[in-house]
Amino acid sequence: MSKVILLSFVVFWWGITAVSAQLSMQKTGEGILITENKKEVLLYRTTPKSMNGEYERTNYIHPLYSLNGKVLTEDFPSDHPHHRGIFWAWHQVWIGEQRISDGWELKDFEQTLTEVEFMKNSSGIVEIKTEVEWKSEKWKKKGEKVPYLQEKASITVHPTTGNVRKIDFEIRLLALEEGLKLGGAENEKGYGGFSVRLDLPEDVAFSGSEGKIEPQETAVQSNGYVQVSGSFDPEKKESGVVMVDRSENPGYPQPWILRAKNSMQNVVWPGREAVAVSTDKPVVLKYSLLVYQEKLNRNKIEKVMGRNCP
């Protein structure tokens, strides 16, 4: 179950606008919609959504749109109805020896959105900043559910440059209870963490800094990024999404679970072995997405991302 409490829902503009605004933001009944030149870019969902009362979720992005306005992501797919657009979640959530939640499959997992801010600067960059508390029916004090983890995230959208739109993510996880641990799937796949559920075309292909990548049942290596390309465009032109594992991340370069159909794409952290989350110093995870149209080669990817790619 997910619950939204908007203690602060604030719009900020900072700096003097020197150019005509390309990116705009507005609050809707579902969340915060970002547009560019009146075309949809993405929707960050603040209002809980479910399928007949099951798989209730909030705090994720869907839809994500291509530069031509096509919906790139899926929500409630029939093969894995717990998958949801662009999300970050973990199978294992422990406090001491007690397993209290499965945020990946949305079991015993509740998110309370306590603060949302959306901002815009003079360069045309927009940012959504959120604060979310994680709760569970399995973690109560004096009969009441209490938050066990505080998540602070930022989603930063840059104006389209040429044929590329860049979106940055920063996710900060701070334990509110001693002994908190997070982990991925407890099998050899170990999936969990930052994930993108794309509506994949038949001709989907994967590549990285070393060239073509063939998805495997278990995780594969690709230092820095994975490019997902194919006929995402309604006119069957090549386009796609580049998922970037930022060099500041713990365990960099993180491995990838990749799928050519009926699943998500996941940059794996921490894997099958759960790791401790501190009550003093948050875990900080940083990723980027490059949404592009037509061709995008390695040189252009590295130019957009700078030193964050190998």
Side-chain angles (χ1 to χ4, degrees):
M1 179 180 178
S2 301
K3 182 166 64 174
V4 177
I5 302 175
L6 299 185
L7 299 182
S8 177
F9 206 135
V10 188
V11 185
F12 293 99
W13 284 263
W14 71 93
I16 298 172
T17 303
V19 295
S20 59
Q22 292 180 311
L23 290 165
S24 299
M25 298 171 290
Q26 66 183 83
K27 181 183 175 183
T28 74
E30 296 178 297
I32 300 171
L33 176 66
I34 295 180
T35 61
E36 185 171 32
N37 297 328
K38 299 183 179 181
K39 293 182 179 180
E40 289 92 346
V41 172
L42 61 84
L43 177 69
Y44 169 72
R45 293 192 172 266
T46 61
T47 301
K49 189 176 181 182
S50 70
M51 176 187 289
N52 300 319
E54 297 185 307
Y55 307 108
E56 188 170 292
R57 74 282 305 268
T58 187
N59 185 37
Y60 68 106
I61 289 174
H62 176 75
L64 172 72
Y65 295 88
S66 73
L67 301 191
N68 279 357
K70 181 183 183 296
V71 175
L72 294 173
T73 50
E74 295 182 308
D75 201 8
F76 298 98
S78 58
D79 51 90
H80 296 86
H82 51 278
H83 288 177
R84 59 251 193 213
I86 301 167
F87 65 104
W88 40 95
W90 290 267
H91 267 297
Q92 300 181 60
V93 184
W94 299 83
I95 297 179
E97 299 302 313
Q98 182 180 355
R99 190 166 187 168
I100 61 170
S101 290
D102 183 336
W104 186 274
E105 293 193 5
L106 299 163
K107 296 177 180 177
D108 301 308
F109 184 68
E110 179 179 312
Q111 292 188 311
T112 301
L113 186 59
T114 57
E115 186 173 322
V116 179
E117 298 176 354
F118 47 114
M119 300 167 281
K120 182 175 181 177
N121 74 7
S122 59
S123 299
I125 296 171
V126 300
E127 182 181 11
I128 301 170
K129 298 181 72 173
T130 66
E131 185 174 305
V132 177
E133 293 178 343
W134 296 13
K135 298 179 182 178
S136 171
E137 282 288 341
K138 292 184 176 181
W139 190 252
K140 296 181 178 180
K141 293 183 179 180
K142 297 181 179 180
E144 297 291 331
K145 288 180 288 185
V146 294
Y148 58 81
L149 183 142
Q150 180 192 70
E151 172 197 313
K152 290 186 176 181
S154 66
I155 302 165
T156 304
V157 183
H158 301 256
T160 299
T161 302
N163 65 329
V164 182
R165 175 185 295 137
K166 179 167 164 286
I167 306 169
D168 296 324
F169 297 81
E170 180 177 293
I171 303 153
R172 304 174 72 89
L173 306 172
L174 183 70
L176 301 179
E177 298 286 352
E178 296 288 347
L180 179 69
K181 295 185 293 184
L182 295 179
E186 294 170 280
N187 54 31
E188 67 279 5
K189 301 172 191 176
Y191 56 85
F194 185 81
S195 303
V196 183
R197 175 70 196 223
L198 294 168
D199 184 5
L200 297 170
E202 291 294 326
D203 62 347
V204 67
F206 301 87
S207 58
S209 58
E210 301 300 319
K212 186 176 180 180
I213 302 170
E214 291 291 346
Q216 305 295 323
E217 183 68 14
T218 55
V220 299
Q221 292 293 328
S222 180
N223 293 0
Y225 69 89
V226 167
Q227 183 172 4
V228 187
S229 60
S231 301
F232 288 94
D233 187 279
E235 298 178 2
K236 303 299 181 183
K237 295 179 181 178
E238 181 181 333
S239 56
V241 173
V242 180
M243 306 175 296
V244 181
D245 169 21
R246 303 277 290 275
S247 59
E248 307 98 305
N249 281 335
Y252 178 87
Q254 296 173 347
W256 302 82
I257 293 288
L258 303 177
R259 296 289 182 262
K261 60 181 179 180
N262 296 339
S263 196
M264 84 298 122
Q265 318 304 325
N266 168 226
V267 54
V268 177
W269 180 87
R272 67 192 296 181
E273 298 297 329
V275 300
V277 180
S278 171
T279 57
D280 298 316
K281 185 178 180 180
V283 173
V284 181
L285 302 169
K286 296 183 179 182
Y287 304 97
S288 295
L289 294 181
L290 308 182
V291 180
Y292 71 93
Q293 202 71 34
E294 299 179 352
K295 298 287 185 179
L296 188 66
N297 60 29
R298 174 179 173 173
N299 288 340
K300 182 65 177 289
I301 293 170
E302 294 179 356
K303 182 178 180 181
V304 173
M305 291 306 305
R307 62 183 177 84
N308 287 298
C309 282

